[in-house]
Amino acid sequence: MKVSELFSLKQGNSFELMNMTKSNTSTVNFVSRASTNNGVTGIVDEIQSYSPFSAGLLTVALSGNGVLSTFVQTKPFYTGFHVMVMEPKRSMSFNEKLFYAMCIKSNAYRYAWGRQANKTLRILQVPDTTPQWVNNQKIIPVKSSVEEITLSLNIDQWREFELSGKNGLFNIERGTRLTKENRLPGEIPLVTAGFQNQGIAEMIYNEENKLYSN
């Protein structure tokens, strides 16, 4: 059975946590593409013109290092970029939702090296029914928590510095352009200007490319 046959898929809010109002008293979570803490990276005030998604829905990270991280949200929530929200089309127990979250997450290996799941999540195959043992398990819902971290920075002591040159911090060298036509499959990471997966676009081999070591 396809995921879309079992769940209704809705795009998340695509909000940015930095533009939200953080709160210590709110019951609304902010869910990002994080692969830990149930995907929750903040607690925020409700936005008057946007109702949060309801507790009990599933969230799926569509990209990033935690691609296909799937969680059952236990509180109302907003989402960040590239997060899909899924609502079961039939009645499901909490255990069943966790089971399908596990099934979806198990496909993460298909999306290595920066691949996104925004177009293919809906066609992933999951079991038609849940095994009997699923609802026999005693599961305590995950409690997500967010701690505010305050950094002590004395900007009065900051000064300008050079990135390169005689007194610079780094030796900077321009990379080599490698067109798609000259790329061969291999085991060397190809780093591009992408912002995901540490800039690694694919694994290649080419006799003329430059290999940098750490």
Side-chain angles (χ1 to χ4, degrees):
M1 174 178 287
K2 297 178 182 178
V3 166
S4 60
E5 294 176 317
L6 198 58
F7 296 92
S8 296
L9 282 69
K10 303 175 183 179
Q11 288 288 343
N13 305 113
S14 295
F15 290 154
E16 291 182 308
L17 182 58
M18 62 181 294
N19 295 324
M20 311 286 284
T21 302
K22 297 182 181 180
S23 172
N24 293 324
T25 59
S26 175
T27 59
V28 179
N29 285 334
F30 183 85
V31 178
S32 69
R33 295 174 295 171
S35 59
T36 59
N37 202 41
N38 234 36
V40 176
T41 52
I43 301 174
V44 297
D45 284 337
E46 185 171 341
I47 303 175
Q48 187 174 1
S49 55
Y50 291 91
S51 297
F53 288 102
S54 302
L57 302 182
L58 285 73
T59 56
V60 186
L62 298 177
S63 62
N65 292 335
V67 62
L68 284 195
S69 292
T70 308
F71 302 104
V72 182
Q73 298 302 326
T74 58
K75 293 183 179 180
F77 63 95
Y78 294 115
T79 80
F81 292 101
H82 291 186
V83 176
M84 186 71 75
V85 180
M86 304 199 312
E87 180 178 4
K89 291 184 176 181
R90 62 171 176 80
S91 177
M92 284 189 189
S93 66
F94 181 74
N95 286 26
E96 288 179 293
K97 293 176 183 178
L98 288 178
F99 171 76
Y100 282 112
M102 179 186 67
C103 293
I104 293 171
K105 173 63 177 176
S106 67
N107 286 275
Y109 71 94
R110 303 177 188 273
Y111 299 91
W113 311 115
R115 295 185 180 92
Q116 299 184 5
N118 54 331
K119 295 182 179 179
T120 54
L121 171 62
R122 61 184 65 251
I123 63 173
L124 288 180
Q125 294 291 324
V126 293
D128 296 2
T129 58
T130 54
Q132 185 175 357
W133 59 264
V134 170
N135 283 315
N136 293 334
Q137 301 298 311
K138 184 178 180 181
I139 298 176
I140 301 176
V142 174
K143 293 183 179 180
S144 56
S145 61
V146 178
E147 296 182 2
E148 189 72 22
I149 299 176
T150 302
L151 298 178
S152 178
L153 298 176
N154 184 359
I155 62 175
D156 293 333
Q157 297 181 2
W158 288 13
R159 60 183 176 82
E160 293 184 353
F161 60 88
E162 296 181 1
L163 285 178
S164 61
K166 181 179 180 180
N167 299 317
L169 297 178
F170 302 96
N171 293 321
I172 298 178
E173 183 178 347
R174 182 179 295 276
T176 302
R177 182 173 179 268
L178 190 63
T179 63
K180 289 186 177 181
E181 291 76 15
N182 293 325
R183 300 175 191 173
L184 301 173
E187 299 181 353
I188 301 174
L190 174 66
V191 179
T192 66
F195 65 93
Q196 296 177 347
N197 200 40
Q198 299 190 59
I200 299 175
E202 58 183 296
M203 302 298 286
I204 66 165
Y205 170 79
N206 187 285
E207 292 183 353
E208 297 180 358
N209 65 4
K210 290 189 176 181
L211 179 63
Y212 294 88
S213 60
N214 53 22

